[in-house]
Amino acid sequence: MNIGIVCYPTFGGSGVLATELGKALSEKGHNIHFITYQQPVRLGGFHTNIFYHEVRVPTYPLFDYPPYETALGSTMVDVIMNNKLDLLHVHYAIPHASAAYMARQIVARQGIDIPVVTTLHGTDITLVGRDKTYSPVVTFSINESSAITAVSKNLRDETYKNFEIEKEIQVIYNFVDVKRFDKKPVTPFRQVIAPNGEKIIAHASNFRPVKRVEDVIKVFAQIREQIPAKLLLIGDGPERSKIEDLCRHGALCEDVRFLGRQEEMEEILAISDLFLLPSEYESFGLVALEAMAAQVPVISTNVGGLPEINIEGKTGFLSDIGNVNKMAADSLRILQNPSLFESMKENALAQARKFDIDKIVPQYEMLYQRVTDKVILHQ
Ligand code: GMT
């Protein structure tokens, strides 16, 4: 099939998922056309049947706000017409679903019917989309999609609760390529980070308030009071300088490393002993699944889709939002108990396997067959 994938090209979970999906589909023989404003970060390398179409947004002195949605819709039309696309799969509703609606109407005038699959990822529904500035357009464009998917049951339910959705929302969970995370820890790397055999705790996010990175620091401070430990902070975003201040005040600087945005998560997770995700909300928590695939137990909150991924007492522990004392106690329980640690590592990997790329990508292919009426034949 010729598939157009529209996504944010950045380090956010929706862009990562969309890019990994495109790569997996291309390996199965589909032609994938990414339509976005920058090369997606996880794309890398050369792939014979992956194409990248950049959305250019020319500026003009009149525009205080350059009209990205118009530029995106026009690029979609161009790609549909010139590459005989069979369908458009848009990740993150805003503004991708409404731009796809517009493109679909335009090509319909030329006698082309292009199905649109919209995948809801989280903040497009729970934070941004619910705002009344966006909600009528989000509701309309979701309802106009040929098929709608959500990345967890929780996100599906939140969408039904907050929007008047007239269609079925299918849950297709996010996935991870378990093979990619099957790395042996690189001893010299571990020694640089933890020269005296300290435990290594990791957190990765876009450092937005919803991630509650402050709680990561609070939990880490309590862990470090009890055992030698190092904290790796991966990612960047608006809260970063506040977090740096917090580390300085708590005299934690020596034991906290800010690694910035990283593409090779598997290398960092391979040397990590525990992953912290104390978010106020996660529709899924893709990064927690990646940690589990690397056999790293997860300490998370119990919000959103997280309980569907992180299983209490098996793959890690879950706490109420802000309960840093429990998160620290649970972390120590795992780090100080070798047999619990080993069993959680195994359980984490077993749980990640349930969300393996090989199990989830065919679910998208089946959906594509349904909306296009085309049968996919793999050699
Ligand atoms: O976490 C973010 O703020 C980024 C956001 C995105 O759209 O890139 O992530 C959302 O989608 C991810 C992929 O489906 C999910 O794993 C994240 O849980 C979700 N984030 C939130 O719900 C806050």
Side-chain angles (χ1 to χ4, degrees), residues 8 11-15 17 92 120-124 126-127 151 174 206 208 210-211 281-287:
Y8 283 103
F11 282 88
S14 62
L17 194 281
Y92 205 92
L120 309 173
H121 278 274
T123 44
D124 45 353
T126 55
L127 276 181
V151 299
N174 282 337
N206 53 19
R208 294 192 183 278
V210 70
K211 302 293 173 177
Y281 181 78
E282 287 297 339
S283 64
F284 184 92
L286 184 58
V287 71

Side-chain angles (χ1 to χ4, degrees), residues 1-4 31-35 50-53 75-87 112 114 374:
M1 274 190 186
N2 297 323
I3 301 163
N31 294 317
I32 304 301
H33 296 264
F34 281 102
I35 306 171
I50 295 186
F51 306 88
Y52 162 58
H53 307 270
T75 311
M76 286 176 182
V77 170
D78 183 68
V79 178
I80 296 165
M81 303 296 289
N82 290 306
N83 299 280
K84 298 197 167 51
L85 290 196
D86 294 301
L87 76 116
I112 295 171
I114 177 118
K374 285 194 174 174

Side-chain angles (χ1 to χ4, degrees), residues 90 97 104 116-118 140-148 167:
V90 304
R104 194 177 183 190
V116 173
V117 174
T118 298
F140 176 80
S141 49
I142 291 177
N143 278 323
E144 286 296 322
S145 304
S146 318
I148 312 155
K167 286 192 171 150

